[in-house]
Every structure is written in C-alpha cells, then in structure tokens.
Amino acid sequence: MSEAAGVRPRALVLRALGLGDLLTAVPALRALRRRLPDHEIVLAAPERLAAPAAATGLVDRLLPASAPGRAVPGDLPWTGPPPDLAVDLHGNGPPSHLLLQRLRPGRLMAYAHPGTPDIEGPAWRDDEHERERWCRLLSWYGVPADPADLRIPVPATPSPAPGAVVVHPGADAGARRWPPERFAAVARELAADGHQVVVTAGAGEEATARRVATGAGLPADAVLGGARDVPFDRLTALVASARCVVVGDTGLAHLATALGTPSVVLFGPVAPRLWGPPPDARHRVLWHPDGTGGTARPGDAHGLRPDRRLLRISVEEVLGAVRGLPTPVPTS
C-alpha cells in the first residue's frame, strides 16, 4: 500500500453494530493499530458510538453508518480516494463484502463466502467467540491478534458513584431482559447489605430503570441515564470504579470486561461461550441451558419476550454470585 505525498494511507473497518460489538472488536482493532501505525483508521459504525470508538484510542475517525437491527448498511459516505485497506468485521456474507468492494479498496480482509468467491479469506465458524472470530480473521491475513488484549483506558472523568454496585436492567431485545421486578429484588437486597446501588439506563430505558429503582426502594437520583445515553466518559468512570456490575447479555457487560470490573452476567438465548467474558474470577456468568447446553444459540437473541433460559436464573442465584465476587483492585 503506497502513500501519496502528504496523505496518510487509510484503513476502513466496517463494524456498524452496537457498543458490545465495538468492545468485542477491540483486540482486532488493537492488532490493526499495531500493524498500521501510520494509517488513519476509520471505523464505519453508528454515530452514537463516536465517543466509545475514540475512547478505545484505536480509531482515528468514525464514519457514520447504521442499519436497522444487525443488518448491513446500504451505503457508506466515504469520500476521496479508495481506502488502502478495508476490513469486514461486520459479517460473513455478500452484503457486507459487496458494500466494501464498491469502494474499490487496495486490499480487502474478510471471511470467505460462496457468494463472493473472489475473496480468499478463512472459513467462517458459527460456534466461535466474537473476540476470537475477528482475531482469527486478521491472523489469517498475517496480522497477529490476541483475543485477550481487550482492555480500554480508564478516563480521567471522576465517577458519579465510586464503589457502587451498578445494576443495568436494559437490553436491546426482550429476549435478553431479565424481569425488572427481579432486578429490583436484587438491588433491594444489595442496598440492605450496605452497598450504594446505581441503576443505569440507555436511551429509551428510563421507565424500566425507574421501575427497578422504585421497586428496590432507592432514591430517584439512583437512576443514571434514560432520556439519552449516559455520556460515555461518565459511564466508563462509573463502571471502572464500581464494586461490580449486574447485567444481562448486553453492551454494559462488555464494558465491565474491558475495564476489568467484576461482573455478574445473565445469559438466556445465546451461550456465554459466544459472547461472555473471558475465564476470570472477576466475572460470573449465569446460564441454564436445556439439557447439556450443546447448542450455542438455543433461542432468538432478538425475540420480544424474555428467553426461558434467562427466566431460570433466580434472584437468590444472582445475589450469591454478587456476594461471592472478589473485591476489585482500584484502577489507576
């Protein structure tokens, strides 16, 4: 890849998904940053991820790109010469491949698919953790990537509630939302244990968060966010200094992992081996699959109603997991 006089070469990375998706891609992004120190790395992702992407320290610029659900964007507002490199961290099929190929990149890294036989990438595996999947892709192309290299920096912003237990009842699909009354029961017991409890809410989740706080007998100011997303530096500071995070299979769980904060993560329609934290005493995953649990995706992760496997998790089980977590080491 050549560099014209005075112009940095550019690498375009497609990952037009959510916060958790961005954070699981951190090891791959770090590998690219290490291999391409002189490139401008441009991340095609939803505009609301501009602050999280910048906070990783691995992305130079965000190119706004989104689509409903987990679909591939219809186009990318790319300007100027074609990217020197395009990397598909979004999917494994023609929609994302062709979207990037239309930009005529100097090189394209992507998984192989029969629908785009000109791409000679590695074979896709359904039963693979998301962090490992994208690191394997880059490694196949000669860019060493370590799935364990997933930490992000702690911001200088002070925490709004140092040492609090953070309870996050939201998720972008009903299938991954544990019932609010159960979150309220957990929050009530942890407050009775002497913990300060903060209930966080993403944009549009304020009603659920307030229902949890009210049911737990917490003050109104225990709810953080809801009308809009909590500013990412403030949210990151809160999680980084938290006693622990109690959360479903959603973005805040990945933020706790990326910061090394103890967490209890509740799984239902998707196995933790695909989206869970790495094996570590700081993280507890709770999951009750059918039978032996051999199916990685036994339910619909985007269903409207709480998955039956998620509903098998009891309040007492969550409380036991929280109480059994190690005390976090203060982050410097």
Side-chain angles (χ1 to χ4, degrees), residues 255-284:
L255 183 58
T257 298
L259 293 166
T261 299
S263 64
V264 175
V265 189
L266 287 58
F267 283 84
V270 178
R273 71 174 181 267
L274 298 187
W275 283 93
D280 190 311
R282 290 172 294 185
H283 306 298
R284 289 287 307 279

Side-chain angles (χ1 to χ4, degrees), residues 195-217:
H195 294 288
Q196 180 183 5
V197 179
V198 172
V199 183
T200 52
E205 297 176 342
E206 185 172 15
T208 299
R210 294 211 173 276
R211 180 179 171 188
V212 170
T214 299

Side-chain angles (χ1 to χ4, degrees), residues 4-305:
V7 178
R8 292 174 69 189
R10 294 187 293 177
L12 174 63
V13 180
L14 177 63
R15 186 76 168 160
L17 297 164
L19 176 61
D21 302 279
L22 169 62
L23 295 173
T24 55
V26 161
L29 290 170
R30 181 161 287 121
L32 283 172
R33 178 80 286 169
R34 187 179 299 116
R35 173 56 66 93
L36 306 172
D38 298 324
H39 280 59
E40 179 188 27
I41 294 182
V42 181
L43 177 68
E47 196 163 9
R48 67 186 294 197
L49 294 184
T56 66
L58 305 171
V59 173
D60 297 300
R61 178 165 61 89
L62 186 132
L63 184 71
S66 61
R70 299 182 68 80
V72 176
D75 55 49
L76 296 174
W78 182 266
T79 58
D84 296 81
L85 171 68
V87 184
D88 186 357
L89 300 186
H90 190 100
N92 73 319
S96 55
H97 294 175
L98 296 174
L99 175 66
L100 292 173
Q101 284 182 326
R102 286 200 296 270
L103 301 178
R104 296 180 292 109
R107 188 182 187 195
L108 173 60
M109 295 181 180
Y111 274 104
H113 191 279
T116 48
D118 52 321
I119 297 175
E120 296 182 356
W124 178 273
R125 299 173 189 164
D126 284 330
D127 195 354
E128 183 173 32
H129 196 286
E130 195 72 1
R131 289 188 300 272
E132 295 171 359
R133 167 172 290 127
W134 304 116
C135 288
R136 182 169 65 86
L137 172 69
L138 294 185
S139 296
W140 190 92
Y141 281 102
V143 181
D146 180 3
D149 195 4
L150 49 76
R151 298 293 288 272
I152 65 171
V154 176
T157 304
S159 169
V165 172
V166 176
V167 173
H168 186 78
D172 64 6
R176 289 177 281 115
R177 293 187 203 122
W178 203 48
E181 59 271 19
R182 297 194 197 181
F183 272 113
V186 167
R188 183 170 56 248
E189 290 298 320
L190 293 176
D193 286 349
H195 294 288
Q196 180 183 5
V197 179
V198 172
V199 183
T200 52
E205 297 176 342
E206 185 172 15
T208 299
R210 294 211 173 276
R211 180 179 171 188
V212 170
T214 299
L218 302 176
D221 63 3
V223 174
L224 187 64
R228 58 183 60 87
D229 288 334
V230 180
F232 190 70
D233 63 335
R234 194 164 185 243
L235 181 65
T236 303
L238 172 72
V239 171
S241 73
R243 168 66 185 90
C244 71
V245 173
V246 182
V247 62
D249 175 18
T250 191
L252 204 72
H254 298 288
L255 183 58
T257 298
L259 293 166
T261 299
S263 64
V264 175
V265 189
L266 287 58
F267 283 84
V270 178
R273 71 174 181 267
L274 298 187
W275 283 93
D280 190 311
R282 290 172 294 185
H283 306 298
R284 289 287 307 279
V285 296
L286 303 179
W287 192 50
H288 296 297
D290 302 316
T292 61
T295 302
R297 293 181 176 83
D300 178 5
H302 308 289
L304 299 178
R305 301 175 64 85

